[in-house]
Amino acid sequence: MEKDVLYLVLPCYNEEETIEISHRKLRSLMDSLVDRKIISSESKMLFVDDGSSDKTWSIIDKLHRTDDMVEGVKLAQNRGHQVALYAGIEAAVEKADAIITIDVDLQQDINAIPRFMASYEKGSDIVFGIRNDRQTDGFFKKHTALIYYKLMRMVGAGIVPNSADYRLMSRRSARALLQYKESNLFIRGLITTLGFKTDKVYFDVHEREQGSSKYTIHKMLKLALDGITSFSIFPIRCVLYLGLMVLLVSICVMIHDFFDWYNGNTVDGWASLELSIWFFGGVQLVSIGIIGEYVGRIYMESKRRPRYIIEENTIK
Ligand code: UDP
Ligand code: MG
């Protein structure tokens, strides 16, 4: 029987210290999977260089020349983790029966890969990797992540809690994902809107062994904001509710003032006047800011720019 072709998609951004070590570990895992007839020998490790400024690409290129299981795609610019994943999936989709995306630092336990494949063989199209705990995360990352998952659920984007971008996708589910043409990409949220038969696999998270985290606070914030705004108009609705509430309060104040006036109590209301100027100024600024977020995104989407540009590609 023909064995399934597995593509591992590995996004890399300035990972010169990491790639070779990860390659060695993955190669021996792939060999054992081939030996155990779980995957085809045509399977590949696809490294996506997300516009690194260090030696990442030359290392990938060297590996490609010495190991026929290694392929590489080089994005011309740093476009971020999500786009790098998308680019990798797009490059792999017609060659692979199944695609597993995993960070190149291998913080996510690679020993879960056989379990991903087992679930795929049983007919799952999407297999989510779910982390067992968050012990390796710092206090800040752990708590911001938990709050974030709650928030996402509140705004109506169904992300599977504690699933990161370690997952398996069958060819048809990957094709479906690639039909999403929005450039504001939040794959974790899009995945749950695809449908298909899904499954979960639990895995442990290790400390990063080489190099440092490439997810700066800035990139994390951008991911969080993209997630929320690409899935809901909840923030806009909040402005509406806030506006209605303020309106109600001002009607009550008006009635109160009217009775005061009727009873002859003229109030020298400097404080309230000053307060309301500030208050409404604030409300208006917040509202404009939120609307601006969306208008900005409409502007960006309306350009229909390519998400990334490939500089080099070893896949023939
Ligand atoms: N990454 C990327 N582009 C970026 C930032 C990160 O492709 O702009 C990759 C990075 O090389 C790694 C993965 O995304 O393979 C996850 O990043 P990292 O391990 O730095 O994040 P953390 O595990 O600290 O959340
Ligand atoms: Mg990492």
Side-chain angles (χ1 to χ4, degrees):
M1 200 177 79
E2 278 288 296
K3 284 290 138 203
D4 293 311
V5 176
L6 170 67
Y7 267 59
L8 297 180
V9 168
L10 300 136
C12 317
Y13 178 56
N14 293 343
E15 299 279 8
E16 59 186 6
E17 300 114 314
T18 318
I19 293 177
E20 280 168 306
I21 300 167
S22 298
H23 164 257
R24 222 170 301 136
K25 291 183 188 159
L26 287 170
R27 174 75 217 216
S28 69
L29 178 82
M30 295 290 267
D31 285 342
S32 86
L33 291 176
V34 172
D35 288 345
R36 284 152 61 197
K37 306 211 167 10
I38 295 175
I39 60 173
S40 146
S41 57
E42 292 296 298
S43 299
K44 306 279 183 197
M45 293 165 264
L46 171 60
F47 292 86
V48 182
D49 176 3
D50 183 15
S52 302
S53 52
D54 64 358
K55 292 206 273 309
T56 296
W57 179 251
S58 61
I59 297 170
I60 295 173
D61 197 38
K62 190 183 80 197
L63 289 175
H64 168 65
R65 276 183 274 117
T66 51
D67 178 354
D68 56 8
M69 253 199 190
V70 172
E71 299 285 1
V73 170
K74 179 180 188 333
L75 306 191
Q77 248 191 347
N78 180 228
R79 309 293 296 146
H81 182 218
Q82 298 289 301
V83 175
L85 287 175
Y86 193 99
I89 294 171
E90 197 158 30
V93 72
E94 295 310 325
K95 308 263 179 190
D97 295 303
I99 296 173
I100 294 179
T101 51
I102 179 170
D103 294 347
V104 79
D105 56 15
L106 303 189
Q107 282 186 276
Q108 297 137 326
D109 186 8
I110 59 171
N111 296 315
I113 289 177
R115 283 183 278 135
F116 277 102
M117 286 311 291
S119 175
Y120 169 74
E121 308 260 291
K122 282 203 209 105
S124 308
D125 279 287
I126 301 171
V127 187
F128 296 102
I130 312 276
R131 50 194 300 171
N132 280 325
D133 58 48
R134 289 190 166 266
Q135 267 165 17
T136 53
D137 276 352
F139 179 84
F140 179 75
K141 195 154 189 166
K142 180 168 161 179
H143 287 270
T144 47
L146 290 179
I147 293 171
Y148 182 64
Y149 282 118
K150 281 225 174 78
L151 200 70
M152 285 299 287
R153 217 139 353 121
M154 244 171 65
V155 304
I159 40 181
V160 181
N162 291 325
S163 71
D165 290 302
Y166 184 24
R167 73 175 80 79
L168 177 145
M169 300 189 77
S170 65
R171 180 186 290 155
R172 59 179 189 172
S173 69
R175 275 189 187 140
L177 176 72
L178 296 172
Q179 285 174 27
Y180 284 71
K181 293 299 178 200
E182 64 213 67
S183 54
N184 178 357
L185 263 185
F186 187 68
I187 298 177
R188 255 168 257 186
L190 293 180
I191 286 283
T192 59
T193 66
L194 295 178
F196 293 107
K197 186 172 182 313
T198 65
D199 193 12
K200 291 174 184 171
V201 159
Y202 290 83
F203 69 90
D204 290 323
V205 180
H206 311 300
E207 303 276 1
R208 192 186 245 274
E209 281 167 15
Q210 303 81 29
S212 56
S213 175
K214 306 299 181 289
Y215 251 100
T216 52
I217 291 280
H218 178 75
K219 282 187 175 162
M220 249 160 65
L221 269 177
K222 185 179 176 303
L223 181 73
L225 211 68
D226 276 355
I228 290 171
T229 51
S230 67
F231 272 90
S232 76
I233 55 163
F234 180 74
I236 290 186
R237 202 158 291 150
C238 282
V239 174
L240 182 68
Y241 291 149
L242 187 70
L244 286 174
M245 252 157 57
V246 170
L247 202 70
L248 200 73
V249 172
S250 53
I251 289 172
C252 294
V253 171
M254 213 162 71
I255 294 171
H256 176 257
D257 285 356
F258 176 77
F259 278 107
D260 265 358
W261 170 78
Y262 189 75
N263 295 329
N265 303 331
T266 38
V267 188
D268 38 333
W270 274 112
S272 56
L273 194 65
E274 200 185 10
L275 261 176
S276 50
I277 290 171
W278 280 95
F279 181 67
F280 283 106
V283 169
Q284 280 163 359
L285 283 179
V286 169
S287 319
I288 291 170
I290 293 178
I291 292 169
E293 272 296 310
Y294 283 90
V295 174
R297 266 151 232 263
I298 293 169
Y299 174 62
M300 295 312 293
E301 295 287 350
S302 67
K303 288 197 231 276
R304 296 247 144 258
R305 284 184 179 166
R307 266 192 211 96
Y308 55 85
I309 291 164
I310 289 178
E311 199 172 298
E312 291 182 56
N313 185 349
T314 65
I315 300 180
K316 290 290 162 308

